Amino acid sequence: MRKIFLGFIVYALAELALIIVIGQNIGVLNTLLLIVATSIIGVYVAKNKGMNSVQKVKNTIARGEAPGPALINALLNFSGGVLLALPGFLTDVIGLLLLMPFSRKLFQPIVFYWIRKKMKNGQFIIVQK
């Protein structure tokens, strides 16, 4: 629990320092406009890419294929949009990395590993109807 709390503190301080540095370089108003613009783009991306990803998952299931890769892509697309919507530049960079196809492939094995680990420990259960 302490590691998580410490992680949030370090993240918040890094985000604040980055906003201050960017604000000094491009101006306060431009920095605020950039934060608002990325938030609007993030909401748009989360909504549209999220719906497209859900449709791809449905199509994959309808074809009788395992939806694993499609679900991971949907998760990463939605997470990228949400991170873009959050104010801050570190979250924007991570969100953009999750949305770009070439860098998303780097995150897919990490997510698969995390899900397998949770399933092995009984913390992640898949229910089939």
Side-chain angles (χ1 to χ4, degrees), residues 59-72:
N59 291 340
T60 303
I61 293 172
R63 288 192 306 265
E65 299 173 7
L71 278 171
I72 298 301

Side-chain angles (χ1 to χ4, degrees), residues 14-27 31 89:
E15 195 75 76
L16 186 59
L18 191 58
I19 289 172
I20 290 170
V21 168
I22 291 174
Q24 288 174 340
N25 288 325
I26 67 171
T31 303
F89 294 110

Side-chain angles (χ1 to χ4, degrees), residues 2 16 34 41 57 65 76 89 93 100 103 110:
R2 289 181 184 166
L16 186 59
L34 189 58
I41 291 168
V57 170
E65 299 173 7
L76 292 174
F89 294 110
V93 169
M100 300 296 169
S103 60
I110 297 168

